[in-house]
Amino acid sequence: MATKRKLLMGVTIRAMHALPWKLLSIQIEASGVNKYPAKQHAQRVAHGLNVQSGLIYLPGQQTVYLEDSDQSEPFRQRRYFYYLSGVDEADCYLTYDIGGDLLTLYIPPTNPQEVTWVGRGSTVEEAKARYDVDGVRLNTALERDVAWWVETNRNDMIFVLHETQQPVHIDASRVDNSNLLPAMNSARVIKDSHEVKLIQRANSVSAHAHRAVLNNIHRFKNEAQIEATFIDACMSEGAKHQAYSVIAASGENNSTLHYVKNDQPLEGRQLVCLDAGCEWDCHASDVTRTFPISGHWPSPEAKYIYDLVQLMQTSCIERLKPGVHFRSLHILAHRIAIEGLLNLGILRGGTPEEIYQSGASQAFFPHGLGHHLGLEVHDVSSEPILATQIEQQAYPMQHRVLSMPSCTAESPVLEEGMVITVEPGIYFSRYALDNIYLPSPEIGRFISRAVVERYLPVGGVRIEDDILITADGYQNLTTAPKGEEMLRIIRDGALTSRG
């Protein structure tokens, strides 16, 4: 097995391991048409490991039962396992023999007693037809197969993600648990065309669900109805799972970034912030829209803040392309926010540069501009896209405000094939302002408490799209309506209901 080489389109796999990945992608993409490109992903991870031989070993998510119960926990496939298999079934395992270029899936045997109650997973024959793997075996053969590989390949290592996932009865000296994770993170950050299509499909369904909410928001009385309508619309289109908990905030609840209670009445609230996205075949979407319940701006303050956030997002998106430091766009968003908040009188008493250097804009824009998107809503990468943990600085445990780190030449840059979110926001958190920012001598002097009071009912505005970085720029994958189109749908929904 260790000396076996397969030919693919006239190029040996060993030779392909030495090629740049972009060329590798082109040569492999034709294999496994209409299947999730698991084999291509395995080859890419092996390229990142920079080894010619070894065994990648990955357990999938196992069936787990609730404590003191015969009911199982909701199944969610391990994303690293899915990346190398495309398999969304429980109790599976995967091995990839790097030297032999052999990807093997191990599935559980059919239990006749369980089929009546919960059905069954794929058979060996079905799995062979469904998944882009070289072989399928029952997981009862896994331990024996791994032991045979170790005995046959005495000088090669087994690569696992974590120490807790190494195969049983294998000497620890033969297991590498430090190099696979970074190799997989580097591979996952660049999406191939198949992955992009799945993210697009998730965005398409999410856009449908956002439209359903806008069409019906005029008759809703509670945040819970927003969440229910969104999930119903997604499931009706075949998207059973959400990529994250729905955030259906209204009024001052908008200022809580990850508000998920979704149980408050809408009466008297100015705006709704709906941050919700489904997943499609384990690939996420992440979409946020903020809108007035009536379809008309309920106050000048609400429109001012929406327009400012829209300007922040548009200005950042139009600058996206390979080679751009994403951190520089995060800084741009802060500078636009500072100018806008100065014009509104919310910020005062200093130049835009003085306010920026103080970190005062974090009182109103306390999170990063965006993140990677893929198999996880906050997807993995080899290094943080912002090159610093901005979100940890916003509400430090000590209530200590930090100044904004600058963008340097070493900051990560955007690359073709990345999918990122761009999600600026402006928020008026009563708690954060009263307990963190206004009491701070360095920050409070730049904030007008009297003017802020007028904006507290706005709560906050966030607008978020999912963006593919292309060779010469970007492609916006999000089609959920925003701006004037969003307002028109709300008004038309109300008119249709009355008619």
Side-chain angles (χ1 to χ4, degrees):
M1 181 184 299
T3 59
K4 182 178 180 180
R5 296 288 179 269
K6 292 190 174 185
L7 286 172
L8 182 62
M9 300 180 70
V11 181
T12 67
I13 293 300
R14 178 175 291 278
M16 290 173 73
H17 282 169
L19 295 175
W21 169 244
K22 288 185 179 179
L23 181 57
L24 180 64
S25 174
I26 292 171
Q27 295 195 348
I28 296 176
E29 196 158 338
S31 70
V33 174
N34 296 325
K35 296 181 180 181
Y36 189 79
K39 188 65 176 290
Q40 172 179 322
H41 292 174
Q43 291 165 338
R44 182 171 192 192
V45 171
H47 179 78
L49 282 169
N50 195 28
V51 296
Q52 299 299 320
S53 59
L55 186 75
I56 295 174
Y57 175 92
L58 288 178
Q61 180 60 48
Q62 305 300 294
T63 300
V64 178
Y65 287 90
L66 296 169
E67 185 177 6
D68 301 325
S69 174
D70 64 354
Q71 300 298 302
S72 61
E73 294 182 358
F75 173 76
R76 185 179 189 271
Q77 186 60 276
R78 287 172 167 166
R79 278 0 193 200
Y80 289 103
F81 179 87
Y82 191 91
Y83 184 72
L84 289 193
S85 69
V87 176
D88 197 21
E89 302 184 37
D91 305 315
C92 297
Y93 295 81
L94 185 82
T95 63
Y96 178 58
D97 181 348
I98 297 171
D101 187 35
L102 193 64
L103 187 63
T104 305
L105 173 66
Y106 292 84
I107 63 174
T110 299
N111 183 337
Q113 293 180 335
E114 292 184 357
V115 171
T116 301
W117 295 97
V118 297
R120 63 170 179 83
S122 299
T123 64
V124 170
E125 292 73 22
E126 289 168 343
K128 286 179 180 177
R130 184 175 299 159
Y131 304 120
D132 183 25
V133 296
D134 297 302
V136 179
R137 291 170 61 78
L138 297 179
N139 60 18
T140 51
L142 176 66
E143 185 176 338
R144 181 174 65 253
D145 287 359
V146 173
W148 177 87
W149 186 92
V150 169
E151 181 65 24
T152 305
N153 301 269
R154 293 179 178 274
N155 297 321
D156 295 327
M157 301 293 291
I158 296 179
F159 296 95
V160 299
L161 287 173
H162 310 291
E163 184 178 359
T164 56
Q165 295 184 3
Q166 69 182 51
V168 298
H169 307 311
I170 300 299
D171 191 295
S173 65
R174 297 293 304 276
V175 179
D176 180 319
N177 57 32
S178 61
N179 290 307
L180 181 58
L181 185 65
M184 292 199 72
N185 287 347
S186 294
R188 280 176 55 178
V189 75
I190 304 297
K191 276 62 179 180
D192 55 42
S193 59
H194 192 103
E195 294 173 283
V196 171
K197 289 177 182 177
L198 296 179
I199 297 171
Q200 277 184 303
R201 178 56 180 159
N203 263 280
S204 176
V205 174
S206 294
H208 166 76
H210 275 272
R211 285 177 176 272
V213 170
L214 296 175
N215 271 313
N216 292 281
I217 189 65
H218 65 278
R219 61 183 183 86
F220 292 165
K221 305 299 183 184
N222 192 283
E223 294 166 345
Q225 293 172 281
I226 300 173
E227 178 180 13
T229 298
F230 188 91
I231 293 175
D232 174 75
C234 290
M235 294 186 72
S236 69
E237 293 293 307
K240 185 176 180 179
H241 302 292
Q242 296 298 301
Y244 53 97
S245 297
V246 172
I247 299 169
S250 64
E252 290 196 33
N253 295 334
N254 295 2
S255 66
T256 300
L257 302 182
H258 288 173
Y259 173 86
V260 294
K261 289 179 62 178
N262 305 340
D263 62 358
Q264 297 297 300
L266 298 177
E267 185 176 2
R269 308 290 173 86
Q270 291 198 20
L271 301 177
V272 167
C273 180
L274 177 58
D275 186 338
C278 71
E279 62 181 40
W280 191 268
D281 286 353
C282 296
H283 285 70
S285 60
D286 190 0
V287 181
T288 307
R289 295 294 183 259
T290 306
F291 49 89
I293 296 172
S294 67
H296 300 276
W297 296 112
S299 68
E301 289 82 5
K303 188 176 190 307
Y304 293 154
I305 299 304
Y306 187 90
D307 289 346
L308 176 55
V309 174
Q310 190 171 49
L311 176 62
M312 292 163 66
Q313 193 200 38
T314 301
S315 299
C316 291
I317 288 178
E318 67 186 11
R319 289 168 168 79
L320 294 172
K321 63 180 179 180
V324 168
H325 294 276
F326 193 69
R327 172 134 196 83
S328 69
L329 299 182
H330 174 81
I331 293 171
L332 173 66
H334 269 273
R335 293 191 179 279
I336 294 172
I338 290 168
E339 293 281 358
L341 295 175
L342 276 169
N343 290 337
L344 295 175
I346 295 170
L347 292 175
R348 64 176 184 182
T351 67
E353 183 62 24
E354 288 172 335
I355 293 172
Y356 172 78
Q357 292 299 333
S358 75
S361 55
Q362 292 182 75
F364 306 99
F365 180 20
H367 58 76
L369 179 64
H371 51 80
H372 291 288
L373 182 75
L375 284 167
E376 295 283 359
V377 66
H378 297 150
D379 209 21
V380 300
S381 61
S382 55
E383 54 185 344
I385 192 172
L386 289 172
T388 185
Q389 297 301 318
I390 294 300
E391 294 191 26
Q392 294 179 13
Q393 297 173 16
Y395 295 94
M397 295 298 292
Q398 316 91 313
H399 288 183
R400 178 170 56 88
V401 179
L402 303 182
S403 61
M404 295 290 294
S406 61
C407 181
T408 67
E410 290 73 33
S411 299
V413 298
L414 299 175
E415 299 179 45
E416 179 184 356
M418 288 181 172
V419 177
I420 60 170
T421 67
V422 178
E423 50 177 309
I426 296 293
Y427 311 87
F428 299 91
S429 170
R430 189 183 297 270
Y431 175 85
L433 288 165
D434 287 346
N435 293 278
I436 302 175
Y437 296 110
L438 286 170
S440 166
E442 298 84 3
I443 300 299
R445 64 191 181 96
F446 292 120
I447 300 174
S448 170
R449 183 186 293 268
V451 177
V452 163
E453 285 290 333
R454 302 206 318 264
Y455 285 85
L456 288 174
V458 174
V461 172
R462 181 167 63 254
I463 308 173
E464 177 180 21
D465 290 358
D466 304 337
I467 311 292
L468 169 68
I469 304 303
T470 62
D472 56 356
Y474 68 90
Q475 177 186 352
N476 194 331
L477 304 180
T478 298
T479 56
K482 56 184 174 180
E484 286 302 316
E485 181 188 6
M486 173 185 74
L487 299 178
R488 178 186 57 76
I489 293 172
I490 297 172
R491 293 192 294 264
D492 288 349
L495 287 172
T496 301
S497 178
R498 288 198 294 268

